[in-house]
Amino acid sequence: MPTPRPRRFVSLAALAVLVAGGCAPTSDDHEIIRNEAGDPLVSTFSIVAVDTTTGEIGVAVQSKFPNVRFMVPTVVAGVGAVATQSFARLAYGPEGIAMMAEGATAEEALRISMRNDPDTGARQVGMVDAHGNAATFTGADAFAWRGGRVGGSDAIATPGVVAVGHGYAAQGNILVSQETVDAIAETFEASTGTLAQRLTAALVAGGRAGGDKRGEQSAALVVHRKGAGYDGSDVIVDISVYDHPTPLAELERLVALNDLYFTDSDPADMIEVTPAIARELQEIWIARDFQYDGPADGVVDAEFQRILTDYMGWENYDLRIDEVANVDLAAGETLRIDPEVLADIRDVFREGRYR
């Protein structure tokens, strides 16, 4: 079986080049607005959240701004997550994380970091720590509609006031209306599944409720958990939609791909590799000239198992291989495959998405 190799999955992965003290053109010829200090205006809605049961912590964000992944989210497993926006002061990210790592709550980290900021009126920041404490702040000078919500409260965070709660903080500026942050908060609270799935659902709901007055351009989702990512890393999801006409729809597509390639199979979902399925896979291997020169006879034996595990590695289903490779056919165990993997193998072949 091939040795799994670490991979990163991003959309149009590149870093934005920000021109200090000036305006950088975006792909649609709009200029990036900056204040006197040179901070870029990131018209954005976001949510920072933690699942204290699983330890997952993350940020989801959408903006009328290119490469929002570079600007807004900072996430560290076991510590906290930060979203900095409006006239974004990037230092809120590392400062907040450093203080939460030393034991400060999200509220304490936010308030202390604000002391280092001479222009808090222009800021919007959300923070959550690994213990579930959440805080959000919207400066009174941020562009309307602007405001936020925190877990445990139905009230809108008043501009100029740090609002505190539990579990998550949602915030946005230059929005069509309050309905965006309401939709984010209510959808997050009502949704189930992994934190990444809940954050995605909440962000998409915010967009459908109105979102940014100026439209859509980029989006990002970052979720970490200690040792839960590829090859023992902390990164469960790190997706950036750099520049796209429908970034939320693209984010949903990429989250589904991330689940396929970078999550383990659930043994309860596995299905038997029947002779009909085996024959279908053999036909694909023959058509693609992959390590098989025998007949498409549907025989499921040790050689079939070996080729299947190699093929799964070749097609990048690295984290789904063990449930196939570890089956002991000699002991009478049944070879099984994840139906999501099988469906993708079929789609790739049927649609000709290979060379």
Side-chain angles (χ1 to χ4, degrees), residues 293-313:
D293 55 7
D297 55 12
V299 173
V300 179
D301 56 13
E303 179 64 6
F304 177 92
Q305 181 183 26
R306 181 193 67 78
I307 297 173
L308 177 57
T309 56
D310 283 354
Y311 187 72
M312 289 176 65

Side-chain angles (χ1 to χ4, degrees), residues 262-345:
F262 294 105
T263 61
D264 292 314
S265 294
D266 184 343
D269 294 335
M270 305 285 282
I271 62 172
E272 180 183 353
V273 179
T274 63
I277 291 174
R279 187 177 302 109
E280 181 183 6
L281 291 172
Q282 289 167 335
E283 289 171 349
I284 291 173
W285 299 339
I286 293 169
R288 296 191 63 180
D289 193 26
F290 181 80
Q291 298 185 17
Y292 186 72
D293 55 7
D297 55 12
V299 173
V300 179
D301 56 13
E303 179 64 6
F304 177 92
Q305 181 183 26
R306 181 193 67 78
I307 297 173
L308 177 57
T309 56
D310 283 354
Y311 187 72
M312 289 176 65
W314 193 53
E315 289 291 272
N316 302 324
Y317 309 115
D318 296 3
L319 299 187
R320 310 280 186 150
I321 291 175
D322 286 348
E323 290 80 6
V324 174
N326 293 339
V327 172
D328 190 347
L329 294 177
E333 294 180 359
T334 300
L335 189 65
R336 297 180 182 275
I337 190 170
D338 191 307
E340 291 184 356
V341 171
L342 180 59
D344 195 60
I345 289 173

